């Protein structure tokens, strides 16, 4: 399988996310602890999280059942955005690395975990009807995004949103590195490092001794990290913000 296929920027959908029974069923069990399985974490690391659809689905399901403890998504995407900061120069080891090396390190080396397992818009599931209804309810995830816009709106990819913003998500940054010649790497490093700094504060706020230390910008950085890693198409269509 060619690596490029894992990161092809997808066209923007016209409708908000609607999760299948199978997707809700899988993600309900996923947030119960499956995410901590070593093999699963390795697959998530290989793909830089999940595809745009399932990255958002993870946030939606976790927010629907645990609106005040969106912890699994935060841990995963905080880890990935720290990795991105290192790749783009947050670690001195990579500071002088050529763009070709950054392009290589930003690529996914495996498929989306849920897609590979066969979960998609039409997959069936066996969860009780009330769990399915709750899991596909977008209200909590939309409220989370709407309450914390300062943390993610400045980081929306211009290519995904169809604007003149110079910000790029990881898939579109890879595309730019391949085709656009000179890339303002310092600008893109700054974007990722800003998301990384704020998301680390949100992650830290889950600790008892650091509770209530996070800001709206810190919380919104979770949406920014998901968008940066997987692309913004699904997020923008679902949250109706750009």
């Amino acid at each position: 399988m060619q690596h490029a296929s894992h990161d092809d920027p997808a066209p923007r959908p016209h409708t908000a996310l609607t999760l299948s029974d199978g997707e809700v069923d899988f993600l309900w069990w996923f947030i119960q602890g499956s995410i901590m399985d070593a093999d699963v974490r390795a697959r998530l690391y290989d793909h830089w999280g999940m595809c745009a659809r399932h990255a958002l689905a993870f946030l939606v399901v976790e927010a629907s059942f645990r609106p005040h403890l969106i912890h699994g998504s935060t841990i995963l995407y905080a880890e990935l955005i720290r990795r991105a900061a290192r790749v783009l120069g947050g670690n001195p080891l990579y500071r002088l690395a050529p763009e070709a090396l950054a392009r290589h390190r930003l690529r996914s080396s495996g498929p989306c975990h849920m897609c590979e397992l066969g979960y998609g818009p039409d997959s069936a599931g066996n969860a009780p009807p009330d769990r399915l209804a709750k899991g596909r309810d977008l209200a909590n995830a939309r409220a989370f995004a709407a309450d914390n816009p300062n943390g993610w709106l400045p980081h929306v990819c211009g290519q995904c949103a169809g604007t003149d913003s110079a910000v790029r998500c990881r898939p579109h940054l890879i595309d730019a590195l391949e085709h656009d010649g000179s890339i303002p790497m310092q600008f893109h490093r700054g974007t990722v490092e800003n998301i990384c700094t704020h998301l680390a504060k949100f992650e830290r706020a889950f600790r008892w001794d650091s509770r209530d230390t996070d800001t709206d910008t810190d919380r919104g950085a979770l949406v920014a990290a998901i968008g940066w890693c997987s692309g913004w198409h699904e997020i923008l269509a679902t949250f109706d913000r750009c």
Side-chain angles (χ1 to χ4, degrees), residues 93-113:
L93 178 63
Y94 299 113
R95 181 69 67 179
L96 299 177
E99 293 178 3
L101 180 59
R103 183 181 69 234
H104 171 72
R105 292 182 179 273
L106 288 175
R107 284 190 178 280
S108 297
S109 57
C112 169
H113 179 53

Side-chain angles (χ1 to χ4, degrees), residues 61-79:
V61 171
E62 191 165 34
S64 68
F65 289 104
R66 300 172 178 173
H68 304 296
L69 190 65
I70 309 176
H71 201 200
S73 294
T74 301
I75 290 173
L76 173 61
Y77 283 94
E79 178 183 352

